Amino acid sequence: MTEQSRSTAEIIGLVSDVITPIFTIERTMVMPFDLNRHENVGEHGFALGLLAGALAHTIDRSLDTGKITEYALVHNIVQIHSGDVTVWESDEVIRKKITDEMLAADRILADYPMFPWLIGKYKEYELRDTPEKRFVHALDKLYPHILILIEDHHPVHPTWAAYERTEEIAREHVAGFPALLPLFDDLCLMFRQKPHFFSTPIPPDESDRHSL
Amino acid sequence: MIDSATTPPAAAAIRTVLMRFSTTLAQITRANELPDPSAGFRPENDAEHSYELALVAIVVADLVDPDLDRGMVARLALVHDLEEIYCGDVSVFDPASSSDTRAAEKDAASARVLDDLRGLSPAVAADFQIYLERTCPEARFVYALDKIVPFFRVLHNGRHHARPSLEEYRARYATARGKVAEYPPLLPVFEHVYHEVGARLPGLNSN
């Protein structure tokens, strides 16, 4: 086998074993044009990358949009082995997710050591030690709120109590990039005006709130 | 629905990017296919294609030229087909794809996208302009690789979505090669996959 054909075979292997599976993993979020069609992880990576690149300099002109785009592309790549674990899962499942994702990352790197960028960039992202990484992570956590409001439809239809818990968790993540918190709070206030999102009533003291 | 009259500017901008660009591109289907667990194969959409191109572009950049700016490669790959929100996607095996009418449609659509983006995100507008004009090696690299990635997909799928005859397949060689030649270091990759697909075409057409 020539060097060219070996490289080509390796790239086809990457397309086969890493990229293609990404399009088969369905998320909880649904598409605005078809509420019966779930977004897949690849579509989400594209949307987050485009969104993060578009929004970054409106929030902070010092952000590096190239790095932001790279992080958005790889941020869920390990899900080809670990699956998509949503915030609606049990605490036990969510705790296991961290271990599963680390193992998935090691597996991808072991299978494709010739493409170190893939998992190298993922592991870099997971450190959350730069503004760009924290920006992408925060935007990823408020993205569902935006999509649900656009669709005027909550695909999970949670109880108010269950939603409050996930809102708290999301807020902790968004707080990693504080400049996005006012936006997140505004989105949460909008949620409080949408009783049809929830399977139980919104408490009056919540729907009457003007700030969080 | 987010009401833009009462919505914070950032939320309104996000809504526009998601609605006008990313979800619209997720509705535009291509002739190329993705494996589907329930249906065998299904059409790939533009959002999926752009995501795949971005990932492949970064890993191939490492192999071909480590000096390419990966961040810029990623950004350009994500915006490279934005004009298709207005003009759709046309397969290279469709005779209309090389017509003057199609070229004019794409130009008009691109101008419209630039108008949309300038008010929304000057950064993304600038990226899209760079890609259209191919004013840097990263843009020429992404443009060329965009013509090669479908060959990887055909070889992975084990079937050719367009079922071209050998004559139809060969008729497109010069045009495809001419586009890849905008980034010469990718020519050996193109030649390799082009000839491999050609050699396997009867089998790829029967699957």
Side-chain angles (χ1 to χ4, degrees):
Chain A
M1 187 184 268
T2 65
E3 191 165 331
Q4 182 62 69
S5 56
R6 184 170 41 247
S7 295
T8 303
E10 287 164 351
I11 295 166
I12 293 169
L14 186 78
V15 167
S16 168
D17 300 340
V18 178
I19 298 176
T20 300
I22 287 171
F23 302 127
T24 66
I25 301 166
E26 289 191 340
R27 292 165 46 86
T28 307
M29 291 297 111
V30 296
M31 303 302 268
F33 51 85
D34 182 355
L35 299 182
N36 295 312
R37 161 132 134 63
H38 288 267
E39 181 185 48
N40 68 49
V41 171
E43 289 166 330
H44 171 64
F46 169 75
L48 187 67
L50 196 64
L51 188 59
L55 203 62
H57 287 170
T58 65
I59 303 288
D60 180 349
R61 291 202 64 81
S62 70
L63 290 170
D64 182 325
T65 54
K67 286 181 182 164
I68 279 169
T69 308
E70 289 183 78
Y71 295 137
L73 288 173
V74 300
H75 82 289
N76 276 344
I77 201 144
V78 295
Q79 289 184 4
I80 61 168
H81 296 313
S82 65
D84 179 40
V85 172
T86 74
V87 70
W88 305 100
E89 299 285 356
S90 67
D91 288 344
E92 184 187 343
V93 169
I94 291 173
R95 272 194 299 272
K96 188 172 173 295
K97 167 183 154 149
I98 297 169
T99 310
D100 287 348
E101 289 184 344
M102 282 171 48
L103 290 172
D106 289 342
R107 186 174 160 187
I108 294 171
L109 187 58
D111 289 343
Y112 290 97
M114 68 294 285
F115 303 130
W117 170 83
L118 212 54
I119 291 303
K121 194 57 60 175
Y122 170 78
K123 288 187 173 179
E124 217 181 275
Y125 169 72
E126 286 291 304
L127 292 174
R128 309 249 218 285
D129 56 354
T130 66
E132 285 79 10
K133 296 168 195 173
R134 291 189 289 268
F135 176 76
V136 172
H137 183 71
L139 195 61
D140 185 39
K141 299 310 170 194
L142 65 81
Y143 171 94
H145 275 72
I146 294 273
L147 207 54
I148 289 166
L149 284 165
I150 285 171
E151 293 161 359
D152 201 28
H153 165 81
H154 199 308
V156 176
H157 208 56
T159 63
W160 173 255
Y163 164 71
E164 262 196 312
R165 181 181 152 267
T166 64
E167 183 186 284
E168 249 178 74
I169 294 169
R171 182 171 283 106
E172 283 170 19
H173 290 289
V174 176
F177 194 88
L180 282 175
L181 269 174
L183 171 61
F184 182 70
D185 284 345
D186 282 334
L187 297 171
C188 294
L189 284 172
M190 288 185 217
F191 262 49
R192 281 155 171 77
Q193 305 308 311
K194 303 286 184 179
H196 55 285
F197 283 2
F198 308 103
S199 59
T200 59
I202 303 172
D205 59 333
E206 289 294 340
S207 58
D208 289 343
R209 291 181 79 161
H210 297 286
S211 65
L212 289 168
Chain B
M1 185 72 76
I2 296 177
D3 177 349
S4 59
T6 56
T7 304
I14 292 170
R15 179 185 183 281
T16 305
V17 170
L18 286 183
M19 286 302 291
R20 195 174 302 172
F21 292 106
S22 65
T23 58
T24 304
L25 284 171
Q27 294 179 78
I28 295 168
T29 54
R30 295 161 48 88
N32 306 73
E33 298 172 322
L34 285 172
D36 185 303
S38 59
F41 290 92
R42 65 165 174 84
E44 174 185 55
N45 65 51
D46 264 356
E48 291 165 330
H49 163 63
S50 299
Y51 179 80
E52 176 172 70
L53 177 63
L55 281 189
V56 173
I58 299 177
V59 301
V60 170
D62 269 353
L63 300 175
V64 166
D65 185 355
D67 288 338
L68 287 170
D69 179 334
R70 291 194 205 105
M72 172 154 276
V73 163
R75 282 163 31 208
L76 296 179
L78 290 192
V79 302
H80 84 288
D81 270 348
L82 286 187
E83 79 282 359
E84 293 189 4
I85 66 169
Y86 294 125
C87 63
D89 178 71
V90 176
S91 164
V92 295
F93 288 96
D94 183 332
S97 69
S98 54
S99 70
D100 291 341
T101 307
R102 176 62 182 170
E105 276 174 3
K106 289 191 73 164
D107 285 345
S110 298
R112 203 172 156 190
V113 165
L114 277 171
D115 276 341
D116 290 343
L117 287 172
R118 282 188 189 114
L120 189 68
S121 172
V124 178
D127 285 345
F128 188 56
Q129 184 96 53
I130 287 169
Y131 181 75
L132 289 175
E133 295 173 356
R134 298 200 275 290
T135 49
C136 63
E138 288 79 7
R140 292 188 289 274
F141 171 76
V142 171
Y143 178 79
L145 191 65
D146 183 41
K147 314 313 170 212
I148 297 175
V149 164
F151 290 89
F152 293 142
R153 180 61 49 212
V154 164
L155 289 168
H156 159 66
N157 289 347
R159 79 182 216 166
H160 200 300
H161 52 279
R163 303 277 196 271
S165 66
L166 199 54
E167 186 183 347
E168 287 169 332
Y169 182 74
R170 286 176 177 160
R172 280 151 185 84
Y173 170 77
T175 302
R177 192 182 189 284
K179 291 178 179 178
V180 176
E182 289 214 19
Y183 194 83
L186 280 176
L187 279 171
V189 180
F190 168 75
E191 293 290 345
H192 180 87
V193 293
Y194 174 83
H195 289 292
E196 183 156 349
V197 169
R200 293 171 51 182
L201 202 60
L204 293 171
N205 283 347
S206 65
N207 288 339

